[in-house]
Amino acid sequence: MARLHLGLILPNYGDALDAERLAVAAVTAEEAGFDSGWVTDHVLVPPEHASVYGTIAESLVALGFLAGRTQTLELGVSALVVPQRNPLVALKQLTTLDFLSGGRVVTAVAAGWMEGEFATLGASFEERGRLLDEWLDAAAAVFAQTPGLVRWEGELLSFEGWLAPALARPGGPELWVAGVSRATLRRAAKTGVWHPVGLPPDELRPMAAELRERRPDARVVLRIGVSFAPEPHPGRDERGRHAIAGPPEWIAERLAEYADAGCNGFVVNLEHDRPGLDERIFRFAEEVRLD
């Protein structure tokens, strides 16, 4: 079996947000041997979601900050809500980050779920899926045409303009597709990487198999909350999604079950908002064996 990808959710949101703490977490992940570090994306959330996402460093700006503090760590957004942004500005930001980071940008994209945030930002919640579908096709075309004159003629997006400098990563920033819907699987078949969040193994298995019927070489990288505890117990993340909680060896067994169910890697949230994150990063790397 190929080596499993290992990513870390970085603390760019929550009441404990601090610039140096964010940078140190990324550097620690790099030193501990993690493959990637991930920030979370929201912009202006309604008051009812402020307790979780109200305090947040904008995701793409945060990646630029982290690119300057790390050397080898891949940096991504889990997940960039493209339809609530200007889609062409998002493309320019991603290609710029690719250039400035030396090809270390990889981002998951999503249609989004927070209707009130779309309304605040003046974006169409109803057309978000169609826009993301077309943006993925446009992004692939743009990455192939860069540097120089790029063109796209579609139903929701049409543009012609000059996009440079050249991309550092051949083919452009790697795009993953986040979510747990059938539409997500269809989109992931385009990009080649599915990024589900908080699915139990018995739910992930048939969806991973369905994706590989569409695209045999597709990869599956799960985002999952992980907590160390003396005894195993049912885990839940900040939004009530399935998570893993228990001793290191028990956590490793649960992740192995996911690998058997079709996972090629994990982006783990080691309770990013609690003190002691750096210690948990090294503990995970040393005591939870994924190879």
Side-chain angles (χ1 to χ4, degrees):
M1 183 178 69
R3 179 181 175 275
L4 294 170
H5 182 97
L6 181 58
L8 177 76
I9 294 297
L10 298 171
N12 78 307
Y13 69 106
D15 292 340
L17 176 62
D18 175 83
E20 190 60 21
R21 181 172 181 266
L22 173 60
V24 168
V27 171
T28 302
E30 187 171 75
E31 292 174 349
F34 281 68
D35 300 297
S36 58
W38 297 78
V39 297
T40 297
D41 182 42
H42 282 286
V43 181
L44 292 171
V45 303
E48 61 267 26
H49 296 291
S51 62
V52 177
Y53 299 118
T55 301
I56 189 166
E58 198 280 326
S59 59
L60 295 176
V61 172
L63 290 194
F65 168 69
L66 294 170
R69 298 292 294 268
T70 55
Q71 299 295 320
T72 60
L73 193 71
E74 286 192 319
L75 298 166
V77 185
S78 175
L80 188 69
V81 185
V82 171
Q84 71 180 17
R85 298 167 171 268
N86 181 310
L88 301 186
V89 173
L91 268 179
K92 179 63 175 181
Q93 289 171 312
L94 288 172
T95 57
T96 298
L97 285 167
D98 172 86
F99 170 72
L100 294 177
S101 70
R104 291 189 287 129
V105 170
V106 48
T107 190
V109 297
W113 58 273
M114 194 181 293
E115 187 171 0
E117 187 172 24
F118 274 74
T120 299
L121 296 172
S124 172
F125 190 73
E126 292 72 21
E127 290 194 330
R128 69 193 190 283
R130 289 180 58 223
L131 179 58
L132 182 57
D133 286 337
E134 187 169 328
W135 184 87
L136 286 170
D137 292 335
V142 164
F143 294 164
Q145 296 171 52
T146 302
L149 187 65
V150 298
R151 299 184 178 90
W152 176 259
E153 190 70 34
E155 294 182 4
L156 299 178
L157 297 172
S158 294
F159 55 86
E160 178 178 280
W162 198 270
L163 187 62
L167 296 165
R169 183 195 292 244
E174 191 171 75
L175 299 178
W176 301 3
V177 178
V180 295
S181 67
R182 288 298 184 276
T184 297
L185 294 183
R186 174 174 49 78
R187 295 179 187 119
K190 290 183 179 183
T191 70
V193 188
W194 178 38
H195 184 51
V197 182
L199 281 182
D202 58 347
E203 294 181 27
L204 183 142
R205 185 185 300 273
M207 297 184 74
E210 180 180 337
L211 171 62
R212 291 188 173 112
E213 288 177 0
R214 297 170 180 260
R215 181 165 176 166
D217 66 341
R219 291 182 288 137
V220 178
V221 185
L222 174 74
R223 173 171 172 164
I224 186 82
V226 174
S227 303
F228 292 111
E231 298 294 334
H233 63 86
R236 288 287 181 266
D237 70 7
E238 62 213 353
R239 285 177 46 195
R241 297 169 297 199
H242 176 74
I244 299 171
E249 63 276 8
W250 190 87
I251 292 170
E253 291 172 0
R254 303 290 76 74
L255 296 179
E257 289 179 354
Y258 274 112
D260 290 341
C263 274
N264 302 99
F266 305 95
V267 174
V268 295
N269 186 348
L270 299 178
E271 299 181 287
H272 76 278
D273 54 342
R274 288 184 52 241
L277 177 59
D278 301 340
E279 291 81 1
R280 291 192 296 278
I281 293 170
F282 279 117
R283 185 180 183 190
F284 186 95
E286 294 168 359
E287 299 182 27
V288 180
R289 305 300 181 189
L290 297 185
D291 297 325

